[in-house]
Amino acid sequence: MKANKRILIVDDDPEIRRLYQTVLLPDSTGDVIAKSAGLFGEHTKHPVSAVKTHYVLTLAANGEEGVRAVESSLKQRQPFAAAFIDMQMPGINGAETSKRIWEIDPNLKIMIVTAYSEHSPDDIIRQVGRDDLFYIRKPFKFKEIQQFARALTSQWNLEREKEELFAALQKTNTELTVKTEQLTDSLKKTENANLRFHDANLARTRFLSLINHELRTPLNGILGFTDLLHGQFFGPLNEKQLDYINQVDSSGKRLLSLITDILDVVKIDAGELELEIGEVSARDAIHSITAIMSDQFMKKNIELTTSIEPALPPVIADLKKFRQIMLNLLSNAVKYTPEGGRVEIRADRDNDSKIRIEVSDSGVGISDNDIEHIFDKFYQSDYVYDKQLGGVGIGLALTRCLVEIHGGSIGVESEHGKGSTFGFTLPLKEVQEQQEGTQQDEGSGTVAKEQHGHRILVAEDNETNLMLLLDMLSIQKHTVLVAKNGREAIELAQKHKPELFLMDMRMPVMDGLESTRRLRAMPEFAKVPIIALTASIGTDAEERQMIAGCTEHLPKPIQTKKLFEVLGKYLK
């Protein structure tokens, strides 16, 4: 899908309309910005850097003209992604304009701009009748407008990308189509969050955090049902159907990876990302990542070579984050290396206290003008090329953040058209010779034996997620009790004495945490396994669940294999 960067500006002041053009169009000059700064009291000592995104602006002098512009955009099948609407205008004001526009195009992202203190966000929300309205007060800063334009258009495009995923899923079969429509309806209900922007950084953080959390719930259904279909538990699929399933699964996992990366960036910005530091074998971690990515290298016929110092000591790092760093750098190398190219990984001591790892490729390279910005958030060195390949310019920014919070550093050497070399350092741990096999890869060890025919209570209020769990559990022929909230779970448990609970954490009436605490207070359920199901991820979420009495944390999206492993572990 071609990214939509069309923005509507509605303001009766021609000077302010010209100011938006100056701030958002890439061919504007610093001198014009400096002259326009007086309109909002912004003191500009140096020219403001030109915007990198190619926006298309439409200007309207009043509310009626803005409404007509939206009507015309839909007729031409070129909808606006975002709108900046002045509150105080002759004719209909900004609130009434927003209300009329949303009656025509409910997907448009609207930012109300006002210089009057009496126009509070609550008043405007009451006038418009929706609580997902964004709000900024004059005087604002040029950088704020650029950041808001980027955030709002990105949100619009993400929602459209989700809709395309749902459309692809509908091609599989009629039953999956119905479930996808239920997912879409559920997602739309959760997207009306009350976001209030006080400044650019805080606004972006809240927006990204909400999107990351809420997208995991529908993705649980998409990836879960795809997993069931791919496993062919309920009947064989033909080759074409399997190909469709693989395409949907690949697209869903790509979106999930993007969501996870953005969530990590939000946590890093807020200082909330916690590391599980330990001794990590760089050799083992690098080999596990290259094994995972082997299909991608083979698909493009890229030659991969590794050169790792034989006696390299362990590094002090979070194993998952170390793998994420390597995965991001290797994915970037594959993305920008043409077919038949080369990628090389080198790892050796940088000095007595650090390891240096380099990932080199024979790809398109990076120009001198772009190198200094390549690790900036949402920056793309070649917009047209990146748009064709996919991505929003967050992978390298996240990689730098992860390296730096480990106490390391990262850099790049590149020549346009001749490839790039990304290198980073991490602290080393000098230890005595390790016994072979002391470090094991994640997922190694004996998988618990599958269990069948047990009595399981599922507490889940989301119909799509409930249907997914019931289908998964039916494969092993378990007897399933269903509760739609925590209170129902307690009542059913007292009557039927389940052997295991699958407990969603966010439910109406009584949530999963409170239900777990009350069950643990009853002697008959003090030791019954309670598995927490949640779209919230991170150490904080897991700690709250463990404190409440949960036995284990099973994050969404839930995969069949992982669910069966947990059941085999706790059911006797």
Side-chain angles (χ1 to χ4, degrees):
M1 183 183 74
K2 183 177 180 180
N4 180 5
K5 299 297 181 181
R6 287 181 287 276
I7 298 177
L8 173 65
I9 307 298
V10 184
D11 199 299
D12 62 310
D13 190 329
E15 291 297 326
I16 296 180
R17 295 197 298 273
R18 280 195 290 272
L19 175 61
Y20 278 108
Q21 289 178 298
T22 301
V23 174
L24 294 178
L25 295 182
D27 57 352
S28 302
T29 65
D31 292 338
V32 176
I33 292 177
K35 292 177 182 179
S36 303
L39 289 170
F40 293 101
E42 180 161 338
H43 301 290
T44 306
K45 294 182 179 180
H46 306 286
V48 175
S49 60
V51 68
K52 300 298 188 299
T53 305
H54 294 188
Y55 296 110
V56 178
L57 302 186
T58 297
L59 307 180
N62 54 60
E64 290 87 350
E65 188 176 331
V67 172
R68 290 195 296 270
V70 173
E71 291 176 335
S72 176
S73 71
L74 293 182
K75 290 179 181 178
Q76 298 174 16
R77 295 186 178 181
Q78 294 184 334
F80 296 108
F84 289 83
I85 301 176
D86 188 35
M87 182 61 185
Q88 200 70 24
M89 296 183 293
I92 60 174
N93 65 13
E96 181 62 25
T97 301
S98 301
K99 183 177 180 180
R100 294 190 187 183
I101 285 177
W102 264 337
E103 290 174 352
I104 302 168
D105 185 358
N107 294 321
L108 184 62
K109 306 302 173 187
I110 295 179
M111 172 72 71
I112 286 290
V113 184
T114 179
Y116 292 87
S117 59
E118 61 267 21
H119 295 144
S120 71
D122 289 340
D123 290 338
I124 296 175
I125 287 173
R126 280 194 292 271
Q127 293 181 55
V128 175
R130 280 173 54 165
D131 63 358
D132 54 344
L133 188 72
F134 301 97
Y135 177 92
I136 187 173
R137 193 181 303 282
K138 301 175 184 175
F140 50 72
K141 297 180 179 179
F142 300 137
K143 193 64 176 178
E144 287 181 319
I145 295 300
Q146 291 177 346
Q147 289 176 328
F148 281 129
R150 179 189 299 163
L152 295 178
T153 54
S154 295
Q155 181 186 9
W156 189 96
N157 283 286
L158 274 174
E159 291 176 357
R160 303 294 80 73
E161 185 175 348
K162 288 182 297 179
E163 291 174 358
E164 286 193 356
L165 282 175
F166 298 145
L169 193 58
Q170 288 174 335
K171 294 179 181 179
T172 55
N173 56 44
T174 304
E175 179 183 359
L176 196 55
T177 299
V178 173
K179 296 173 183 177
T180 304
E181 291 173 350
Q182 294 172 345
L183 267 176
T184 306
D185 292 338
S186 174
L187 179 59
K188 287 180 178 179
K189 293 177 182 178
T190 64
E191 287 177 343
N192 293 324
N194 185 16
L195 301 177
R196 297 175 182 170
F197 289 82
H198 299 293
D199 58 64
N201 290 330
L202 179 59
R204 184 185 62 187
T205 298
R206 289 181 176 176
F207 162 66
L208 294 177
S209 178
L210 175 68
I211 290 297
N212 275 277
H213 181 274
E214 297 301 339
L215 284 180
R216 283 183 172 273
T217 298
L219 274 175
N220 179 57
I222 293 176
L223 295 177
F225 285 121
T226 301
D227 184 40
L228 283 177
L229 286 171
H230 191 273
Q232 304 185 67
F233 294 106
F234 302 101
L237 300 179
N238 60 42
E239 184 176 347
K240 193 69 172 177
Q241 290 171 330
L242 284 172
D243 181 58
Y244 284 159
I245 288 299
N246 289 332
Q247 292 294 331
V248 174
D249 184 66
S250 176
S251 297
K253 287 178 178 176
R254 174 172 169 261
L255 183 57
L256 179 61
S257 176
L258 176 62
I259 292 168
T260 302
D261 284 353
I262 294 176
L263 181 59
D264 281 344
V265 169
V266 171
K267 287 186 175 181
I268 291 172
D269 286 345
E272 297 176 352
L273 185 68
E274 296 184 7
L275 300 179
E276 297 180 10
I277 295 295
E279 297 179 10
V280 175
S281 168
R283 178 186 299 274
D284 292 347
I286 290 172
H287 285 166
S288 69
I289 292 300
T290 55
I292 291 172
M293 296 189 63
S294 60
D295 287 344
Q296 297 183 42
F297 285 104
M298 293 176 58
K299 194 173 294 184
K300 295 185 69 174
N301 193 27
I302 294 175
E303 179 186 356
L304 173 66
T305 61
T306 59
S307 176
I308 303 175
E309 181 181 325
L312 196 64
V315 295
I316 300 302
D318 181 313
L319 176 59
K320 291 182 180 179
K321 300 307 179 187
F322 179 82
R323 286 176 171 173
Q324 191 172 1
I325 292 168
M326 291 302 305
L327 183 62
N328 286 350
L329 292 181
L330 287 173
S331 296
N332 205 60
V334 172
K335 178 179 178 181
Y336 289 102
T337 300
E339 291 191 12
R342 303 183 314 279
V343 172
E344 181 180 2
I345 303 171
R346 296 181 293 276
D348 51 27
R349 292 173 184 260
D350 186 55
N351 53 43
D352 290 339
S353 62
K354 290 185 177 180
I355 183 180
R356 179 170 181 81
I357 299 176
E358 294 183 344
V359 176
S360 299
D361 64 67
S362 61
V364 297
I366 308 167
S367 67
D368 293 339
N369 293 332
D370 290 322
I371 280 185
E372 61 180 301
H373 301 292
I374 199 67
F375 292 106
D376 293 347
K377 295 168 189 172
F378 304 105
Y379 182 81
Q380 294 172 313
S381 60
D382 186 332
Y383 175 78
V384 176
Y385 193 57
D386 278 3
K387 182 174 62 175
Q388 293 171 349
L389 294 175
V392 296
I394 199 172
L396 289 177
L398 175 60
T399 300
R400 182 185 67 176
C401 291
L402 292 176
V403 169
E404 290 178 349
I405 63 176
H406 278 87
S409 60
I410 188 169
V412 60
E413 295 179 0
S414 181
E415 185 176 349
H416 192 58
K418 295 187 178 181
S420 306
T421 296
F422 287 85
F424 68 95
T425 62
L426 289 177
L428 276 173
K429 171 69 173 178
E430 292 286 353
V431 295
Q432 297 179 347
E433 184 177 356
Q434 301 289 311
Q435 293 184 350
E436 185 176 354
T438 55
Q439 274 201 331
Q440 296 183 1
D441 194 12
E442 272 189 359
S444 64
T446 303
V447 177
K449 184 179 179 180
E450 290 187 3
Q451 301 293 321
H452 294 75
H454 290 273
R455 193 166 55 258
I456 298 173
L457 191 150
V458 176
E460 171 65 73
D461 66 305
N462 183 282
E463 292 293 339
T464 301
N465 292 338
L466 175 60
M467 191 177 300
L468 171 64
L469 285 168
L470 293 177
D471 286 347
M472 287 180 172
L473 294 172
S474 70
I475 296 171
Q476 294 189 346
K477 297 180 172 56
H478 293 294
T479 299
V480 182
L481 308 168
V482 176
K484 295 299 183 67
N485 57 64
R487 183 174 296 170
E488 287 185 10
I490 294 173
E491 293 173 353
L492 285 174
Q494 290 174 323
K495 292 180 180 178
H496 301 284
K497 302 298 186 294
E499 300 169 65
L500 182 141
F501 293 85
L502 294 175
M503 183 77 71
D504 184 39
M505 292 294 101
R506 299 182 65 180
M507 294 182 291
V509 183
M510 181 185 295
D511 64 23
L513 290 174
E514 179 61 25
S515 180
T516 299
R517 282 191 287 265
R518 297 193 184 189
L519 286 168
R520 289 301 187 215
M522 302 176 186
E524 62 267 40
F525 301 117
K527 296 183 179 181
V528 176
I530 301 178
I531 311 302
L533 308 178
T534 177
S536 298
I537 61 174
T539 305
D540 290 344
E542 292 186 38
E543 286 182 355
R544 289 194 298 270
Q545 294 152 17
M546 296 304 107
I547 291 172
C550 293
T551 311
E552 189 162 323
H553 171 93
L554 190 58
K556 299 174 182 178
I558 298 170
Q559 298 291 291
T560 309
K561 179 181 178 181
K562 183 61 179 177
L563 176 63
F564 289 170
E565 287 178 354
V566 171
L567 296 182
K569 180 178 179 181
Y570 293 106
L571 291 175
K572 304 298 181 182

